[in-house]
Amino acid sequence: MTRPISTSRTAIRPFVRLGAALSLGALLAGCVSIPDGGPVRVVEDGRPQQVSPARIRPAGPADGASPRDIVNGFLQAMMSSPVRYDIARRFLTDGAGDDWRPEESVTVYSLSSVAEPEERSGAESVAVDIAREAVLTEQGRFTVPAAREQHFDLTLVQEDEQWRIADPPPGALITDAFFEDYYDAVNAYYFDSAGEQLVAAPVHLPDDEGRPTDLVSSLLGGPDGVLGGQARSFLPSTWKLAAPVEVDDQGVALVRFAGSDSGVSVGDRERLSAQLVWSLRQISTVTGVEIRIGDRPIALPNTPEVQRIDAWDQFDPAADRPTQLFAMREGRLLVVGRSSTGPFAGAWGRDPVPADDFRVAVDAERIALVTGGRRVVSVSPLAGEPALVPARQGTDLLRPSWDAAGRLWTIDRVRGGSRLTVGPADEPPRSIDLGPLAGGRVTGFELSPDGARFTATARVGARDALYVGAIRYDAEGGGVVGLVDIAEIPLPTETGVPLSAAWRSSTTIALLARAQERVPQVAIVAVDGSSSVTGAVRVGLLPQDGARQVLSAGLLSSPIFVLDAEGMLWTQNGDGRWAEASDEPVSLAAFAG
């Protein structure tokens, strides 16, 4: 992505592993500056962050360097912090340096080999082979390449009696270690197709002072392809950054656009402001956002020039998201806290109602019970006496889900595959194609807190895997049209076999998995598959075997729970250790929704 050249005032707190940074700095044979220290914090994906990463300024080409040394130096020079490509350009011919566009993409590779040069009619050819792990788009979106192996034949010619590369590969190339230590995942916020709520798209940006600028530049690039092409941006396509985003000593991020807001409605100005504020507030030093169009502040009634980072909560898709964990013991409904469990008030907490599974609605006014050996889903109000009304019938019904519109989502495992139906509980449901999951056995299905995505654990063929997809809605009526972009989430090898999954945030998933014969553990993985490179983030260390389900409300402010084979619920205490949250076992547990 393109950065305006400036000296930004931002101080950011990105993540870095000090040992890796030192070894990488030595490899680059450049200058490395280590921060003095600072507080460690937890960000959305659960990773601790330092105040700032070690700075790396790689060395330029040495006089008389061989063709192979020039190629190696070029590969190393692309990995600098803060990100800069002027040194890497010094390894290229003048013409190639003018044409090279490293900001167009970033290829992340794990292995590389640089062959000895071969002579070719007054030039030298050096073969480079890399094993690609990912490709970042110009906006920083993580993609997995179809082919892992990539080969380049680089031509080197003499320029001023020095070897230089005449045909560099497109984009920039960085190692997976550099990506893990010097890039960080943040969300670029767009709107759903109806323009009613914010939706998040993860992007990976360098951990340096240019991150606010990179994040706004990513937003300006638009949401093409996000959520199956449904996401919308209210930032006009004609707007460009007039200057780098600056964050002053009070934490105010100044965003200046070249363009005009003439013809942009107040509603659209509110939404574009929400996109910018929600995106930039992820940077720890930002306390407010000032948006200027030309030399004027954006015109919004009853809105200060410096917008607070907690503004625009009317567009928060999880504003009313319930955080109460419910459980069942001997057919009685319970409410679960961090350290205690008690009966639900009223008849549901007093009178037993046998069930194979259950789920309380998002508004906590209804409950769906799976009964009859998982052949029937019945619905009842939670107020007053149980009054179950059959809503769905099937062969082997999973725990259902409720969305914010009150629709019931039901997975039925039938012979030869799985079937999904969606609709109001009191109306005939609509069948929704599960794509590649239709021929497999779905073992878990959860809606994201913003309703934009789903995650599922399933056995397809002979493999148990974790899947994610986007939900397509009718922009006019808001009905569910189908599921799109269904794909397996690649996991680090050490994560193991997925057993259960729940949303940790709108773009991260809490995954319970078993690696070989070890005790199952909970880890946080990203929906875009980037954890396959950065590694999954383990959530503490479960001390006992038998964990069978992970439970999360989809909000970072809400704790994660684990239900074990004995019916005991576990959660983390203040020091991050897992501890029992209930005195007695329960048979079932589920968050609302």
Coordinates of all heavy atoms in Angstrom, one line a residue, residues 167-219:
D167 N 15.1 -7.0 -13.4 CA 13.7 -7.5 -13.5 C 13.2 -8.0 -12.1 O 13.1 -9.2 -12.0 CB 13.5 -8.5 -14.6 CG 14.5 -9.6 -14.5 OD1 15.4 -9.6 -13.6 OD2 14.4 -10.6 -15.3
P168 N 13.0 -7.2 -11.1 CA 12.6 -7.7 -9.8 C 11.3 -8.3 -9.8 O 10.4 -8.0 -10.7 CB 12.6 -6.4 -9.0 CG 12.3 -5.3 -9.9 CD 13.1 -5.7 -11.2
P169 N 11.0 -9.2 -8.9 CA 9.6 -9.8 -8.9 C 8.6 -8.8 -8.5 O 8.9 -7.7 -7.9 CB 9.8 -10.9 -7.8 CG 11.0 -10.5 -7.0 CD 11.9 -9.7 -7.9
P170 N 7.3 -9.0 -8.8 CA 6.3 -8.0 -8.5 C 6.1 -8.0 -7.0 O 6.2 -9.0 -6.3 CB 5.1 -8.5 -9.2 CG 5.3 -10.0 -9.4 CD 6.8 -10.1 -9.6
G171 N 5.8 -6.8 -6.5 CA 5.5 -6.6 -5.0 C 6.7 -6.8 -4.2 O 7.9 -6.9 -4.6
A172 N 6.5 -6.9 -2.9 CA 7.6 -7.1 -1.9 C 7.6 -8.6 -1.4 O 6.5 -9.2 -1.5 CB 7.4 -6.2 -0.7
L173 N 8.7 -9.0 -0.9 CA 8.9 -10.4 -0.4 C 9.4 -10.3 1.0 O 10.4 -9.6 1.3 CB 9.8 -11.2 -1.2 CG 9.6 -11.3 -2.8 CD1 10.7 -12.0 -3.4 CD2 8.3 -12.0 -3.0
I174 N 8.8 -10.9 2.0 CA 9.2 -10.9 3.4 C 9.1 -12.4 3.9 O 8.3 -13.2 3.4 CB 8.4 -10.0 4.3 CG1 7.0 -10.4 4.3 CG2 8.6 -8.5 3.8 CD1 6.2 -9.6 5.3
T175 N 9.9 -12.7 4.9 CA 9.9 -14.0 5.5 C 8.7 -14.1 6.5 O 8.2 -13.1 6.9 CB 11.2 -14.3 6.3 OG1 11.3 -13.4 7.4 CG2 12.4 -14.2 5.4
D176 N 8.3 -15.3 6.8 CA 7.2 -15.5 7.7 C 7.6 -15.0 9.1 O 6.8 -14.5 9.9 CB 6.8 -17.0 7.7 CG 7.9 -18.0 8.0 OD1 9.1 -17.5 8.0 OD2 7.7 -19.2 8.2
A177 N 8.9 -15.1 9.5 CA 9.4 -14.6 10.8 C 9.2 -13.1 10.8 O 8.8 -12.6 11.9 CB 10.8 -15.1 11.0
F178 N 9.6 -12.4 9.8 CA 9.4 -11.0 9.7 C 8.0 -10.6 9.8 O 7.6 -9.7 10.5 CB 10.1 -10.4 8.5 CG 10.1 -8.9 8.4 CD1 11.1 -8.2 9.0 CD2 9.1 -8.2 7.8 CE1 11.1 -6.8 9.0 CE2 9.1 -6.8 7.7 CZ 10.1 -6.1 8.3
F179 N 7.1 -11.3 9.1 CA 5.7 -11.1 9.1 C 5.1 -11.2 10.5 O 4.3 -10.4 10.9 CB 5.0 -12.0 8.1 CG 3.5 -11.9 8.2 CD1 2.8 -10.8 7.7 CD2 2.7 -13.0 8.7 CE1 1.4 -10.8 7.7 CE2 1.4 -13.0 8.7 CZ 0.7 -11.8 8.3
E180 N 5.5 -12.3 11.2 CA 5.0 -12.5 12.5 C 5.4 -11.4 13.5 O 4.6 -11.0 14.3 CB 5.4 -13.9 13.0 CG 4.8 -14.2 14.4 CD 5.2 -15.6 14.8 OE1 5.9 -16.3 14.1 OE2 4.9 -15.9 16.0
D181 N 6.6 -11.0 13.4 CA 7.2 -10.0 14.3 C 6.9 -8.6 14.0 O 6.9 -7.7 14.9 CB 8.7 -10.2 14.5 CG 9.0 -11.5 15.2 OD1 8.1 -12.1 15.9 OD2 10.1 -12.0 15.1
Y182 N 6.7 -8.2 12.7 CA 6.7 -6.8 12.3 C 5.4 -6.4 11.6 O 5.2 -5.3 11.2 CB 7.9 -6.5 11.4 CG 9.2 -6.4 12.2 CD1 9.9 -7.5 12.5 CD2 9.5 -5.2 12.8 CE1 11.1 -7.4 13.2 CE2 10.7 -5.1 13.6 CZ 11.4 -6.2 13.8 OH 12.6 -6.1 14.6
Y183 N 4.4 -7.4 11.6 CA 3.1 -7.0 11.1 C 2.1 -7.4 12.2 O 2.4 -8.3 13.0 CB 2.8 -7.8 9.8 CG 3.3 -7.2 8.5 CD1 4.7 -7.1 8.3 CD2 2.5 -6.7 7.6 CE1 5.2 -6.6 7.2 CE2 3.0 -6.1 6.4 CZ 4.4 -6.1 6.2 OH 4.9 -5.5 5.0
D184 N 1.0 -6.7 12.1 CA -0.1 -7.0 13.1 C -1.4 -7.0 12.5 O -1.6 -6.3 11.5 CB 0.0 -6.1 14.3 CG -0.8 -6.6 15.5 OD1 -0.8 -7.8 15.6 OD2 -1.3 -5.8 16.3
A185 N -2.4 -7.8 13.0 CA -3.7 -7.9 12.4 C -4.6 -6.8 13.1 O -4.6 -6.8 14.3 CB -4.3 -9.2 12.6
V186 N -5.3 -6.0 12.3 CA -6.3 -5.1 12.8 C -7.5 -5.2 11.9 O -7.4 -5.9 10.9 CB -5.8 -3.6 12.9 CG1 -4.7 -3.5 13.9 CG2 -5.3 -3.2 11.5
N187 N -8.6 -4.6 12.3 CA -9.8 -4.7 11.5 C -10.0 -3.4 10.7 O -9.9 -2.3 11.3 CB -11.0 -5.0 12.3 CG -11.0 -6.4 12.8 OD1 -10.5 -7.3 12.2 ND2 -11.5 -6.6 14.0
A188 N -10.3 -3.5 9.4 CA -10.9 -2.3 8.7 C -12.4 -2.5 8.7 O -12.9 -3.5 8.4 CB -10.4 -2.4 7.2
Y189 N -13.1 -1.4 9.1 CA -14.5 -1.5 9.3 C -15.3 -0.9 8.1 O -15.0 0.2 7.7 CB -14.9 -0.8 10.6 CG -14.6 -1.6 11.8 CD1 -13.4 -1.5 12.5 CD2 -15.6 -2.6 12.3 CE1 -13.2 -2.3 13.7 CE2 -15.3 -3.4 13.4 CZ -14.1 -3.2 14.1 OH -13.9 -4.0 15.2
Y190 N -16.2 -1.7 7.7 CA -17.1 -1.3 6.6 C -18.6 -1.5 7.1 O -18.8 -1.6 8.3 CB -16.9 -2.2 5.4 CG -15.5 -2.1 4.8 CD1 -14.5 -3.1 5.0 CD2 -15.1 -1.0 4.0 CE1 -13.3 -3.0 4.5 CE2 -13.8 -0.9 3.5 CZ -12.9 -1.9 3.8 OH -11.6 -1.8 3.3
F191 N -19.5 -1.4 6.2 CA -20.9 -1.6 6.6 C -21.5 -2.8 5.9 O -21.0 -3.2 4.9 CB -21.7 -0.3 6.3 CG -21.8 0.7 7.4 CD1 -20.7 1.6 7.6 CD2 -22.8 0.7 8.4 CE1 -20.7 2.5 8.6 CE2 -22.8 1.6 9.4 CZ -21.7 2.5 9.5
D192 N -22.6 -3.3 6.5 CA -23.3 -4.4 5.9 C -24.0 -3.8 4.7 O -24.1 -2.6 4.4 CB -24.2 -5.1 6.9 CG -25.3 -4.2 7.4 OD1 -25.3 -3.0 7.1 OD2 -26.2 -4.6 8.2
S193 N -24.7 -4.8 3.9 CA -25.3 -4.3 2.6 C -26.4 -3.4 2.8 O -26.7 -2.5 2.0 CB -25.8 -5.6 1.9 OG -26.7 -6.3 2.7
A194 N -27.1 -3.4 4.0 CA -28.2 -2.5 4.3 C -27.7 -1.1 4.9 O -28.5 -0.2 5.0 CB -29.1 -3.1 5.3
G195 N -26.4 -1.0 5.2 CA -25.8 0.2 5.7 C -26.3 0.4 7.2 O -26.3 1.6 7.6
E196 N -26.6 -0.6 7.9 CA -27.2 -0.5 9.2 C -26.2 -0.8 10.3 O -26.3 -0.2 11.4 CB -28.4 -1.4 9.4 CG -29.6 -1.0 8.5 CD -30.7 -1.9 8.7 OE1 -30.6 -3.0 9.4 OE2 -31.8 -1.6 8.2
Q197 N -25.2 -1.6 10.1 CA -24.2 -2.0 11.1 C -22.8 -2.2 10.5 O -22.7 -2.5 9.4 CB -24.7 -3.2 11.9 CG -24.7 -4.5 11.0 CD -25.1 -5.7 11.8 OE1 -25.9 -5.6 12.7 NE2 -24.5 -6.9 11.5
L198 N -21.9 -1.9 11.4 CA -20.5 -2.1 11.0 C -20.1 -3.6 10.9 O -20.6 -4.4 11.7 CB -19.5 -1.4 12.0 CG -19.6 0.1 12.0 CD1 -19.2 0.7 13.3 CD2 -18.7 0.7 10.8
V199 N -19.2 -3.9 9.9 CA -18.7 -5.2 9.8 C -17.2 -5.1 9.7 O -16.7 -4.1 9.1 CB -19.3 -6.0 8.6 CG1 -20.8 -6.3 8.9 CG2 -19.1 -5.2 7.3
A200 N -16.5 -6.1 10.2 CA -15.0 -6.1 10.2 C -14.4 -6.9 9.2 O -14.8 -8.0 8.9 CB -14.5 -6.5 11.6
A201 N -13.3 -6.4 8.6 CA -12.5 -7.2 7.7 C -11.0 -7.1 8.2 O -10.5 -6.0 8.2 CB -12.6 -6.6 6.3
P202 N -10.4 -8.3 8.5 CA -9.1 -8.2 9.1 C -8.1 -7.8 8.0 O -8.2 -8.3 6.8 CB -8.8 -9.7 9.5 CG -9.9 -10.5 8.9 CD -11.0 -9.6 8.6
V203 N -7.1 -7.0 8.3 CA -6.0 -6.6 7.5 C -4.7 -6.7 8.3 O -4.7 -6.6 9.5 CB -6.2 -5.2 6.9 CG1 -7.4 -5.2 5.9 CG2 -6.3 -4.2 8.0
H204 N -3.6 -6.9 7.6 CA -2.3 -7.1 8.2 C -1.4 -5.9 7.8 O -1.1 -5.8 6.6 CB -1.7 -8.4 7.9 CG -2.6 -9.6 8.3 ND1 -2.3 -10.3 9.5 CD2 -3.7 -10.1 7.8 CE1 -3.2 -11.2 9.7 NE2 -4.1 -11.1 8.7
L205 N -1.0 -5.1 8.7 CA -0.2 -3.9 8.4 C 1.1 -3.9 9.2 O 1.1 -4.5 10.3 CB -1.1 -2.7 8.8 CG -2.5 -2.6 8.2 CD1 -3.2 -1.4 8.7 CD2 -2.4 -2.6 6.6
P206 N 2.1 -3.2 8.7 CA 3.3 -3.1 9.5 C 3.1 -2.5 10.8 O 2.4 -1.5 11.0 CB 4.2 -2.3 8.5 CG 3.6 -2.4 7.2 CD 2.2 -2.6 7.4
D207 N 3.9 -3.0 11.8 CA 3.9 -2.4 13.2 C 4.8 -1.2 13.3 O 5.9 -1.3 13.9 CB 4.3 -3.5 14.2 CG 3.2 -4.5 14.4 OD1 2.0 -4.2 14.1 OD2 3.5 -5.6 15.0
D208 N 4.5 -0.1 12.7 CA 5.3 1.0 12.8 C 4.5 2.3 12.8 O 3.3 2.2 12.8 CB 6.4 1.1 11.7 CG 5.8 1.1 10.3 OD1 4.8 1.7 10.1 OD2 6.4 0.5 9.4
E209 N 5.1 3.4 12.7 CA 4.4 4.7 12.9 C 3.5 5.0 11.7 O 2.7 5.9 11.7 CB 5.4 5.9 13.1 CG 6.4 6.0 12.1 CD 7.7 5.4 12.5 OE1 7.7 4.3 13.1 OE2 8.8 6.0 12.1
G210 N 3.7 4.3 10.6 CA 2.8 4.5 9.5 C 1.5 3.8 9.5 O 0.7 3.9 8.6
R211 N 1.2 3.0 10.6 CA 0.1 2.2 10.6 C -1.2 3.0 10.5 O -2.2 2.5 9.8 CB 0.0 1.3 11.9 CG -1.1 0.3 11.9 CD -0.9 -0.9 12.7 NE -0.7 -0.5 14.1 CZ -1.0 -1.3 15.1 NH1 -1.5 -2.6 14.9 NH2 -0.8 -1.0 16.4
P212 N -1.4 4.1 11.2 CA -2.7 4.9 11.0 C -2.9 5.2 9.5 O -4.0 5.1 9.0 CB -2.5 6.1 11.8 CG -1.5 5.7 12.9 CD -0.6 4.8 12.2
T213 N -1.9 5.6 8.8 CA -2.0 6.0 7.4 C -2.3 4.7 6.6 O -3.2 4.7 5.7 CB -0.7 6.6 6.9 OG1 -0.4 7.8 7.7 CG2 -0.8 7.0 5.4
D214 N -1.6 3.6 6.9 CA -1.9 2.4 6.2 C -3.4 1.9 6.4 O -4.0 1.4 5.4 CB -1.0 1.3 6.6 CG 0.5 1.5 6.2 OD1 0.7 2.3 5.2 OD2 1.4 0.9 6.8
L215 N -3.9 2.1 7.6 CA -5.2 1.6 7.9 C -6.3 2.5 7.1 O -7.2 1.9 6.5 CB -5.5 1.7 9.4 CG -6.8 1.1 9.9 CD1 -7.0 -0.3 9.4 CD2 -6.7 1.1 11.4
V216 N -6.1 3.8 7.1 CA -7.0 4.6 6.3 C -6.9 4.4 4.8 O -7.9 4.3 4.1 CB -6.8 6.1 6.7 CG1 -7.7 7.0 5.8 CG2 -7.1 6.4 8.1
S217 N -5.7 4.2 4.4 CA -5.4 3.8 2.9 C -6.2 2.5 2.6 O -6.7 2.4 1.5 CB -4.0 3.7 2.6 OG -3.3 5.0 2.8
S218 N -6.1 1.6 3.5 CA -6.8 0.3 3.3 C -8.3 0.5 3.1 O -9.0 -0.1 2.3 CB -6.5 -0.7 4.4 OG -7.1 -1.9 4.2
L219 N -8.9 1.3 4.0 CA -10.3 1.7 4.0 C -10.6 2.3 2.6 O -11.7 2.0 2.0 CB -10.7 2.6 5.1 CG -10.9 2.0 6.5 CD1 -11.1 3.0 7.5 CD2 -12.1 1.0 6.5

